[in-house]
Amino acid sequence: MSFAVGLLLVTSIPAVQAQDQQALAQSSYVSEIHGVLQDGSGASIAEGNLVLTDSTGKSLETNSHSDGTFVFRGLVPGTPYRLLVMALGMNKLTREGVLAGGPLLVLPMQVDPLQQSITVFATSPELDTAPELSRTLDPTALTQLPSTNRNLAQFAMLDPRARNTVGSGSDGRSSTRLTINNQSFRFTQYELDGSTDSDFILSNGPQQNVSISAIGEFKLLTNEYLAQYGRSSGGVVLLSTKSGTDQFHGEAFGYVRPSGIQAAPPVSTFHVPNAKEQWGSTIGGPLQRGKTYFLGSYEQQHQERGAFIQSPTPGFFTGIQNSYMGLLRLDRKWNDREFTTVRLNGDFLKSNNLNDVVGGFVQANAGRNDIQQSTAGQITQRSMLGTWLNDFRLSYSNALPLWYTPFTPSIQIVRPSYSTTGGSSVEHLRSQAWQAAETISKTFGAHAFTFGGDYIHQYTNYNFISTPLGTYTFAAGPPTPNQMPLRYTQTVGAQTLKYGQDLVSAFAQDEWKATRRLSTNLGVRYDYQSNSSGVANFQPRLGVAWDAFGNGNTVVRAGAGLFYDQIYGQLQRNALNLGPNSSAASYTISNPSYPTPPTVGGAADRRDIMLLNPRLKNPYTMEVSAGVEQKLPMGWVLQLDAVFMGSRHQLMLDNLNAPTPFIRTAPGQTRAAVAANATRPSLFYTRSDGTQIAVANVEQVDNVGNSRNTSGEAQISRRFGGLFQFQAAYLYSSNITNVFFTGGNSTGTPSVWNVKTGESGPSDFFQRHRFVATGILNLPAEFRLTGVTVAATGLPVNPLTGVDNDGDGILADRAFGVSRNSYRGPAQAQTDLAVTRTFHVWERLSLESRAEISNIFNHGNYVKLTTTYGNGASPGNSFMIPTAGISNSDPARQFQFGARLLF
């Protein structure tokens, strides 16, 4: 498939004729369906494409006239039909249960050049016939459900299959480290208006941040999604921005979190400052009615948050953070067959304690200044070419996902579970990405075909990394008289890296209404990544949904497919920064001199290097799902789903120069580094230029990991008209893996190299039980009460000795006789509530006041506990102690007040 700067020209195919009106009408008595297409302002929509399908799959097709009217003739009276409507720049709309001979159909369509699907039912609400597992939130849910942080990641966690891997109050891009289906958070993909929005280097979350008030739809795909979506085995987060309409509309808002009434943060023994203000506005409307629309959004935030320092002397450090987000979108309807959208957006964040870098055991002199920002733009060209619908998107982003410098550079001293002081690391990283994407769709009778693909060029031409001063690491706990450090680590040399990758995808899918009772999704996808050696990344997808009894009360769903993940750019960065040919070198000296640091970098000093296997392939997952959705009495709906996921070629570290295994037979046993080094296979590593360097650990990223995840979900929901909405979901899951590697220096490392015993266990963020409930209650006098409750079992804890038992220079040694992630933290539970009241000021102007409480019962929800079990037979006093810091636990009870002026 070739891409053009404009749009792909497709040969126009004449509209399908009515095949013979008697093919649909199996009776001598015939009737008609009359209707009109309108936009949100009531204006007529011309040249809309309408397809009417009966229970046998036979169809009629027509287009709306200049006044928006349409008609289907020769139909069987009393027979229910399915009507599919597509119009340029509008949502694709499906209406089920349409009866011939009924009243005039008035079909309102909403502006959305990304053509998200909306289903409207002619009778009572129907069950979902899509085989995919997903969750969709509209602007009402996004603005009304409690969200004291106004963080889009929180809305993903309304699905029990998703959870954050850091505290829900975290800052910046790291605040959206979502793990879905117990997969690595680095495999979660993000899209904004149909284009990729993933941070390809760090893979912490989305690269661009936009205000909630600018979002028209939030959708989370968790399993068996269409071939159109990919590059992830865990899940995909889809965001669509709002557009202007023929009527001016918008909001101005302000939220305040007063410091004096907030609860003390988890672990803290006293209150700390906790103040936050957010304000902004979104406005949209016509520049030329019926032709050109605009939408602009701006949001600003100021926060002063105290981070509790729990050891050695309790105290706090007040961090100050300011952030800004802006967006401008223009939509132009050139004629009834051409539509263009242009979006420009940017965000900027500055903090002196991002994610509480200072806090817990980290002292104030280890702090740093952080900056994060992005600027981006996208052009979407939508065209009707005959009866084909063509989308072409061109996007660009430029971001600083990581940009920090220390307050005062100094040697770092780490005493695990006690204190960390100093630091000298500096990193400046700029990333850029171009994407061209094309999607073409067409309905033929009962078939809705979609095919397309994209090309992405991602690169960084500036990644400066420097750690001029080293790090001493002592045994865990407080200092003892005449204590000496276990090791000294230093990276010598600084460098500026340049790297990138190219991605190509292609897909084809058919959403086929095989019979009145059977719907199928068939598709295939292909993904290519230049940083991977895998070239056979074909991914077949199949989904079916069956109306079991033909009455719409019971739908049985099933699906299966292959899903490939991407090799994230952090691995490429690490291999360049710490590779054998790098100008920087990392050295680890055991039993070093102190307090005067040893001189490192001599010819005899062994360095640790990082490699990528040249045959590294993309990890993949086979998914199989089955479920049933059942209408219950009094309007309740029950949904049951089971999913099996088997992952292969998972990323994992392999040490090519590991010392021989040191198998402990009793607690407390250790091996000296000198003895360990004497057993390594090689003393030297030959570089590409033929020279040799002395090496210790030669860690290579390989495809030797695997995992298995099985889950069952029960969900019940009901809408009580316009009064009340309720939904509750419970997830039970089982997970086993031999690795949980996230690319960091301390992840994916076994306790003993080349020994598999004890390595199989749950993933780092596995929760066997997870329950989520949401509700929206409309009360008298324009009051509204909304709430969210989440409850789950605690997170796994990996018990480590805190010393280098096997002498390999890596502190990943587990306690004697225990396996990876064999302990579990305390259960988690949180309830958030929000109360709003709307005051009608004048005609279309209203004021909404708001008060909300997060974690109303002030339950401690810990993401990170200390892992130092100790080197003895029983755990020490510092094992599984909660760690202070906003990224290490969810926030304590918080109050927030706000107001929205709506027009």
Side-chain angles (χ1 to χ4, degrees):
M1 179 178 300
S2 62
F3 293 94
V5 174
L7 56 96
L8 181 67
L9 297 179
V10 181
T11 304
S12 176
I13 296 181
V16 177
Q17 300 300 315
Q19 297 180 14
D20 182 10
Q21 298 288 343
Q22 297 301 320
L24 275 175
Q26 312 240 333
S27 167
S28 58
Y29 300 98
V30 294
S31 187
E32 300 175 345
I33 292 178
H34 292 263
V36 60
L37 299 185
Q38 297 178 344
D39 63 18
S41 66
S44 301
I45 298 177
E47 295 296 327
N49 181 251
L50 300 97
V51 179
L52 190 73
T53 307
D54 70 1
S55 60
T56 68
K58 297 178 180 178
S59 64
L60 293 173
E61 186 171 351
T62 190
N63 291 331
S64 59
H65 304 298
S66 59
D67 59 356
T69 61
F70 64 88
V71 61
F72 288 97
R73 296 185 172 88
L75 307 177
V76 179
T79 299
Y81 293 91
R82 179 176 183 265
L83 180 61
L84 174 66
V85 186
M86 292 192 300
L88 187 67
M90 299 291 169
N91 287 328
K92 182 166 63 176
L93 184 146
T94 303
R95 175 162 284 198
E96 304 281 358
V98 178
L99 300 177
L104 180 73
L105 287 177
V106 179
L107 300 178
M109 305 186 74
Q110 300 299 317
V111 175
D112 186 356
L114 294 176
Q115 191 114 349
Q116 303 296 323
S117 296
I118 293 178
T119 301
V120 180
F121 300 95
T123 55
S124 61
E126 301 293 323
L127 302 184
D128 186 5
T129 58
E132 71 179 20
L133 299 183
S134 64
R135 192 168 304 271
T136 302
L137 299 176
D138 59 16
T140 298
L142 292 173
T143 56
Q144 294 302 318
L145 289 174
S147 177
T148 56
N149 289 311
R150 290 177 59 81
N151 187 330
L152 287 167
Q154 288 184 311
F155 297 106
M157 289 185 285
L158 297 181
D159 190 306
R161 297 182 184 276
R163 69 150 289 113
N164 216 352
T165 60
V166 293
S168 60
S170 299
D171 308 317
R173 284 154 177 77
S174 295
S175 65
T176 49
R177 283 185 165 189
L178 290 174
T179 174
I180 303 173
N181 291 311
N182 293 308
Q183 300 288 72
S184 171
F185 63 85
R186 301 206 191 273
F187 291 154
T188 301
Q189 289 291 306
Y190 301 83
E191 289 191 6
L192 178 62
D193 287 338
S195 295
T196 184
D197 187 28
S198 297
D199 170 12
F200 85 98
I201 300 174
L202 304 179
S203 299
N204 281 330
Q207 186 147 272
Q208 307 164 52
N209 290 317
V210 296
S211 172
I212 288 178
S213 63
I215 296 299
E217 184 180 78
F218 176 101
K219 187 171 186 178
L220 175 66
L221 304 177
T222 58
N223 292 98
E224 309 304 343
Y225 32 89
L226 297 172
Q228 182 175 352
Y229 304 104
R231 300 193 173 108
S232 173
S233 64
V236 183
V237 178
L238 307 174
L239 297 179
S240 299
T241 57
K242 295 177 180 176
S243 66
T245 66
D246 270 331
Q247 299 292 330
F248 285 99
H249 63 282
E251 64 174 292
F253 58 86
Y255 300 91
V256 60
R257 183 192 301 165
S259 179
I261 63 174
Q262 312 302 328
V267 184
S268 177
T269 55
F270 48 79
H271 284 75
V272 300
N274 186 4
K276 187 176 185 179
E277 299 90 37
Q278 292 173 280
W279 62 94
S281 179
T282 296
I283 183 172
L287 294 176
Q288 181 183 2
R289 292 191 184 276
K291 291 291 186 179
T292 308
Y293 311 97
F294 79 95
L295 183 127
S297 173
Y298 176 78
E299 181 171 331
Q300 185 172 338
Q301 175 193 125
H302 174 77
Q303 180 173 343
E304 297 182 12
R305 183 182 66 227
F308 176 63
I309 300 174
Q310 66 193 91
S311 173
T313 302
F316 69 89
F317 176 83
T318 300
I320 298 176
Q321 178 175 299
N322 291 284
S323 64
Y324 315 84
M325 292 181 285
L327 178 143
L328 176 64
R329 170 171 164 163
L330 299 174
D331 295 278
R332 171 68 178 180
K333 182 179 180 181
W334 303 101
N335 51 52
D336 291 334
R337 309 184 74 81
E338 300 285 341
F339 198 104
T340 302
T341 295
V342 177
R343 171 178 50 79
L344 301 173
N345 57 279
D347 64 272
F348 177 84
L349 178 148
K350 184 176 182 180
S351 174
N352 67 347
N353 197 26
L354 189 70
N355 288 314
D356 288 2
V357 170
V358 174
F361 301 113
V362 180
Q363 309 302 300
N365 61 5
R368 70 190 200 191
N369 291 306
D370 277 84
I371 290 176
Q372 294 180 353
Q373 74 174 41
S374 73
T375 55
Q378 177 173 313
I379 298 175
T380 302
Q381 176 65 40
R382 172 169 292 262
S383 306
M384 290 291 293
L385 303 173
T387 56
W388 293 77
L389 181 63
N390 182 81
D391 273 343
F392 177 80
R393 298 182 300 277
L394 183 66
S395 62
Y396 169 75
S397 64
N398 189 315
L400 305 179
L402 199 64
W403 197 284
Y404 65 85
T405 54
F407 291 164
T408 303
S410 61
I411 293 177
Q412 188 172 69
I413 298 178
V414 178
R415 300 180 185 273
S417 302
Y418 182 74
S419 73
T420 296
T421 61
S424 63
S425 294
V426 177
E427 182 157 5
H428 296 166
L429 170 61
R430 179 185 298 276
S431 64
Q432 301 179 67
W434 288 93
Q435 180 180 17
E438 189 135 33
T439 304
I440 302 171
S441 57
K442 165 66 180 173
T443 299
F444 289 100
H447 296 268
F449 293 105
T450 306
F451 57 94
D454 70 351
Y455 166 75
I456 303 175
H457 177 58
Q458 298 170 323
Y459 62 100
T460 174
N461 56 8
Y462 184 72
N463 189 179
F464 176 76
I465 303 175
S466 174
T467 309
L469 305 175
T471 298
Y472 280 112
T473 301
F474 287 79
T480 58
N482 301 318
Q483 185 182 29
M484 295 297 289
L486 300 175
R487 64 177 184 171
Y488 177 78
T489 303
Q490 184 174 355
T491 300
V492 178
Q495 60 180 338
T496 300
L497 306 176
K498 297 181 180 181
Y499 51 93
Q501 65 176 359
D502 295 301
L503 305 173
V504 178
S505 75
F507 71 90
Q509 65 191 36
D510 176 17
E511 298 175 72
W512 176 31
K513 184 74 172 179
T515 69
R516 181 179 64 86
R517 296 168 56 185
L518 181 64
S519 300
T520 66
N521 291 334
L522 302 97
V524 63
R525 179 182 177 89
Y526 177 78
D527 280 305
Y528 165 80
Q529 183 180 16
S530 61
N531 288 343
S532 166
S533 66
V535 295
N537 297 344
F538 289 96
Q539 303 154 72
R541 312 273 176 88
L542 170 64
V544 296
W546 178 50
D547 183 354
F549 303 106
N551 57 9
N553 291 332
T554 306
V555 173
V556 178
R557 292 188 298 268
L562 277 178
F563 299 81
Y564 276 84
D565 290 302
Q566 299 299 293
I567 297 173
Y568 38 91
Q570 183 176 0
L571 302 181
Q572 187 181 13
R573 181 188 68 158
N574 291 348
L576 290 173
N577 185 45
L578 299 176
N581 300 310
S582 171
S583 60
S586 178
Y587 298 91
T588 298
I589 307 299
S590 298
N591 303 313
S593 60
Y594 177 79
T596 302
T599 301
V600 300
D605 288 333
R606 294 177 175 234
R607 59 193 278 189
D608 296 328
I609 62 175
M610 176 75 73
L611 304 173
L612 294 182
N613 189 322
R615 294 181 295 276
L616 197 65
K617 298 179 180 179
N618 296 93
Y620 70 90
T621 298
M622 173 66 184
E623 297 185 13
V624 179
S625 68
V628 61
E629 192 169 0
Q630 175 68 51
K631 283 186 179 180
L632 300 177
M634 301 179 64
W636 289 93
V637 175
L638 175 66
Q639 181 176 327
L640 302 173
D641 291 289
V643 178
F644 170 79
M645 302 173 61
S647 301
R648 297 294 181 268
H649 290 174
Q650 296 296 293
L651 303 176
M652 185 174 177
L653 284 179
D654 185 20
N655 194 341
L656 305 184
N657 199 38
T660 58
F662 178 69
I663 308 301
R664 286 169 281 164
T665 58
Q669 293 177 332
T670 60
R671 177 175 61 179
V674 173
N677 287 336
T679 68
R680 294 184 186 271
S682 302
L683 295 176
F684 300 96
Y685 183 91
T686 303
R687 298 193 291 192
S688 58
D689 62 0
T691 60
Q692 290 188 325
I693 54 174
V695 292
N697 295 302
V698 179
E699 296 180 332
Q700 178 172 278
V701 180
D702 282 319
N703 294 115
V704 292
N706 58 76
S707 67
R708 183 179 69 251
N709 191 80
T710 305
S711 62
E713 180 181 356
Q715 177 179 297
I716 191 166
S717 60
R718 183 179 174 184
R719 288 178 176 265
F720 297 78
L723 176 64
F724 183 52
Q725 302 176 33
F726 175 79
Q727 180 172 285
Y730 165 73
L731 180 74
Y732 175 88
S733 58
S734 173
N735 176 267
I736 191 74
T737 179
N738 64 341
V739 66
F740 199 78
F741 176 57
T742 63
N745 293 334
S746 60
T747 68
T749 303
S751 178
V752 180
W753 293 106
N754 301 318
V755 175
K756 297 181 179 180
T757 303
E759 293 302 324
S760 292
S763 69
D764 287 14
F765 301 98
F766 167 66
Q767 293 175 305
R768 186 173 300 280
H769 306 279
R770 191 165 175 83
F771 172 82
V772 181
T774 62
I776 300 177
L777 174 64
N778 293 316
L779 300 170
E782 299 286 347
F783 279 95
R784 174 179 284 174
L785 174 66
T786 64
V788 176
T789 292
V790 178
T793 48
L795 294 168
V797 178
N798 193 27
L800 304 179
T801 63
V803 299
D804 184 10
N805 292 83
D806 62 357
D808 64 356
I810 301 173
L811 295 179
D813 306 77
R814 277 194 307 276
F816 176 76
V818 298
S819 58
R820 187 177 62 84
N821 286 344
S822 53
Y823 285 77
R824 187 166 294 276
Q828 301 181 353
Q830 179 166 326
T831 296
D832 303 340
L833 293 176
V835 178
T836 63
R837 187 181 183 187
T838 302
F839 301 89
H840 295 285
V841 180
W842 177 73
E843 292 186 358
R844 298 178 59 244
L845 182 66
S846 61
L847 176 67
E848 179 186 275
S849 60
R850 181 180 182 91
E852 54 189 315
I853 310 174
S854 66
N855 198 2
I856 188 171
F857 301 112
N858 202 30
H859 187 272
N861 298 309
Y862 306 112
V863 178
K864 183 178 180 180
L865 304 175
T866 56
T867 60
T868 305
Y869 180 99
N871 204 22
S874 59
N877 294 331
S878 62
F879 182 51
M880 292 182 61
I881 294 176
T883 304
I886 198 66
S887 62
N888 298 325
S889 62
D890 292 339
R893 181 174 54 241
Q894 296 185 139
F895 296 86
Q896 181 168 283
F897 306 95
R900 300 168 65 215
L901 188 64
L902 307 170
F903 58 92

